[in-house]
Amino acid sequence: MPYRELRRDVWKNTVRIYIPVLLLSLSACFLLIRLSVHRQQKVLHEKLALFAETMQIRMVGSLREPLGDLKVLRGLQSLRGYLDTQTAQSHELLARDMLGFSRAKHVYDQVRYLDASGAEIVRVNMDPRGNAYLVKEAELQNKKHRYYIKRAAPLLEGEYYISPMDLNVEHGEIEIPHKPVIRFVAPVRGEKGEMKGFLVLNYIAIDFLAELDGIAKMAPGEVSLLNDEGYWLYGGRSEDRWGFMFPERLDCSLAKRDPEAWETISASASRSVIKVRGNYLVFLPVNPFDLPPGKGNSSAATTSDSRKNRNELALHLLCRMDKDEIAAGVFHAWIAIPVIVGFLDIGLLVLIYMVIRHRSSHLLLLRQSREHEESLRDHDLDIASDIQHTLLLDAVPDDLVGLDVARTSIPATEVGGDFLAFWYQGGCLDVLVGDVMGKGIPGALLAAALKIRFTNARISEYAVAEDKALPSLDAILRHSHETITPILMNFERFTTLNYLRIDPNAGRAEWINCGHTELIHCRSRGLGVAHIPGENVPLGFTQTCDFRSQSASIAPGDILVLYSDG
């Protein structure tokens, strides 16, 4: 009985409240419709602009990767070795490294090194099945008359040339199926600035356009990618794309189809939102040398960086929402608001009852489930973190003489790919700090395997050393390289490391830095602080090994700092 009385009172009070609420809601409905129409238009415009900026950032990020790859190739030891000697052996090492690079990246149709005269010295092609192979010497060509060599020739060391995006042409005909290509070129100069040659990457833009297509399908409007002449590279009608490559399609450009819109777009160097005949257009330039806005880079710095390079890519991202789509969104507000208000008024009692009953039980179950999952995950991560600190991060030896050593670890996540090892023997302290590419448990597992291989290599070298003397750093690293590099290349990973040996009796420190963070030497008695970068590539980049060691004298009170960037 009490339950029935309570339910009756609830219905009575609800009806008493419902009548004035209904009258108020009908009065507010008209005002809400007017406000909603204005807001809907603004939201559509902002959504279109935000989506365009997101796509711009993704596209610029994808196009910057080849610039980083050119920098890596320019720093290859095998390339410098070839430039110094130009022997058959150095040529073979360079070819092997470039072949390994192409297989690892898998996005370049061609990876080439040309000499100063434009003759191809090494060329790695990718066949239709995606397999990289070295082109025979008899098939190498001279490219001195190609436009991208002429454009890159005046550039200095550290500068780049980017070609326009076009369709690959083989033997005078456009390749079928179409293969869009962008050529990235970096000059290679000697110590005195003399031209030595060119590194050329033929970047296959199929994945780049596929990524754009995947994002464009979620766009609130129509997405197009245009070149600097207004021709469609993506979007529009399929028969209009790449019009500049086909004589019969030279009129298939936005410049010819919509001169008013193109004139406004081409006159703008930055983002612009324009309205043409009721259609809203958001235009954004895509320049690999420009960082996206809001990343802490001033416009002056961006312009300066672009000026010393040569970019002919000139892509324009265009997001278009025509007036019919805008009208449809506004009309939807006129219909949706009265219907929604009516259903809300009619279903008020049902909603109160359902929300209180079902939402409360659902949240309770969800919270219990989440707490259980978090408890299990935290437990597993605690175990993994303890294992990492036990296996990957050695404790400081307690029998050191003449040295004070401290270490700490602050991982970016609970577990990661950083590892640390100490060996104290013969009055010398060996310290190894490494960082495997990748975070989380996979990185920690690979780091554990590499640390074991490195320890075994050190033991093996010590066992064969004459008079049981400490093996050299170079010998240990060469032994480690032979066993570690195949593992890294198999998993398409790499590791940086810094291997330091301190001899306090001799007052000397020696180390080999393989792509790791710099060593910091704080000298005593106010003699200053030295930041010493490494001179070797990380393990896993190449199958060759040519390690260069560095050394410094040390005095009482000096501090040597090894660290990893996490």
Side-chain angles (χ1 to χ4, degrees), residues 198-318:
F198 305 88
L199 287 166
V200 183
L201 298 178
N202 284 21
Y203 174 70
I204 305 174
I206 294 177
D207 292 341
F208 170 77
L209 294 177
E211 182 181 12
L212 173 61
D213 182 66
I215 303 174
K217 291 178 180 178
M218 300 180 288
E222 178 186 347
V223 177
S224 300
L225 186 65
L226 311 172
N227 67 6
D228 59 343
E229 296 179 340
Y231 286 99
W232 280 277
L233 308 179
Y234 171 83
R237 299 183 304 176
S238 59
E239 58 268 23
D240 291 342
R241 297 172 190 167
W242 309 103
F244 62 96
M245 299 289 296
F246 302 92
E248 67 276 10
R249 300 187 193 175
L250 293 179
D251 291 335
C252 299
S253 68
L254 182 65
K256 297 291 182 65
R257 298 278 175 84
D258 197 340
E260 180 183 353
W262 178 248
E263 181 179 359
T264 305
I265 290 172
S266 57
S268 176
S270 59
R271 192 192 89 168
S272 59
V273 181
I274 61 176
K275 186 176 182 180
V276 180
R277 295 185 298 278
N279 303 320
Y280 280 92
L281 305 178
V282 176
F283 159 75
L284 287 166
V286 179
N287 185 353
F289 294 118
D290 287 343
L291 294 177
K295 298 296 181 182
N297 296 282
S298 66
S299 59
T302 300
T303 304
S304 176
D305 183 64
S306 299
R307 188 181 296 119
K308 68 180 182 180
N309 296 284
R310 184 155 187 173
N311 177 28
E312 296 183 355
L313 187 55
L315 298 179
H316 306 289
L317 182 64
L318 182 65

Side-chain angles (χ1 to χ4, degrees), residues 85-272:
T85 63
Q86 296 191 5
T87 62
Q89 182 180 6
S90 62
H91 179 273
E92 181 181 356
L93 291 176
L94 175 60
R96 186 188 306 167
D97 285 352
M98 293 180 68
L99 178 62
F101 168 85
S102 179
R103 288 173 175 171
K105 302 301 293 186
H106 211 262
V107 293
Y108 299 114
D109 187 51
Q110 292 184 355
V111 179
R112 292 177 286 172
Y113 171 68
L114 294 75
D115 64 15
S117 68
E120 293 179 333
I121 303 301
V122 177
R123 187 173 85 201
V124 180
N125 284 359
M126 184 177 294
D127 63 24
R129 293 178 298 178
N131 298 318
Y133 65 93
L134 282 170
V135 175
K136 297 179 181 178
E137 184 177 356
E139 300 177 8
L140 298 178
Q141 306 173 33
N142 191 297
K143 300 291 184 178
K144 65 180 180 180
H145 297 299
R146 295 305 300 270
Y147 71 92
Y148 51 87
I149 296 299
K150 294 180 178 180
R151 302 286 198 281
L155 298 179
L156 303 178
E157 184 79 11
E159 299 178 353
Y160 304 94
Y161 166 75
I162 306 179
S163 75
M165 183 191 298
D166 55 22
L167 298 178
N168 194 46
V169 177
E170 291 291 342
H171 306 293
E173 296 185 1
I174 297 175
E175 187 175 353
I176 301 295
H178 293 166
K179 184 187 292 185
V181 174
I182 306 172
R183 295 166 182 86
F184 292 80
V185 186
V188 179
R189 295 185 175 273
E191 296 180 355
K192 298 181 179 180
E194 72 277 12
M195 177 61 72
K196 293 290 188 178
F198 305 88
L199 287 166
V200 183
L201 298 178
N202 284 21
Y203 174 70
I204 305 174
I206 294 177
D207 292 341
F208 170 77
L209 294 177
E211 182 181 12
L212 173 61
D213 182 66
I215 303 174
K217 291 178 180 178
M218 300 180 288
E222 178 186 347
V223 177
S224 300
L225 186 65
L226 311 172
N227 67 6
D228 59 343
E229 296 179 340
Y231 286 99
W232 280 277
L233 308 179
Y234 171 83
R237 299 183 304 176
S238 59
E239 58 268 23
D240 291 342
R241 297 172 190 167
W242 309 103
F244 62 96
M245 299 289 296
F246 302 92
E248 67 276 10
R249 300 187 193 175
L250 293 179
D251 291 335
C252 299
S253 68
L254 182 65
K256 297 291 182 65
R257 298 278 175 84
D258 197 340
E260 180 183 353
W262 178 248
E263 181 179 359
T264 305
I265 290 172
S266 57
S268 176
S270 59
R271 192 192 89 168
S272 59

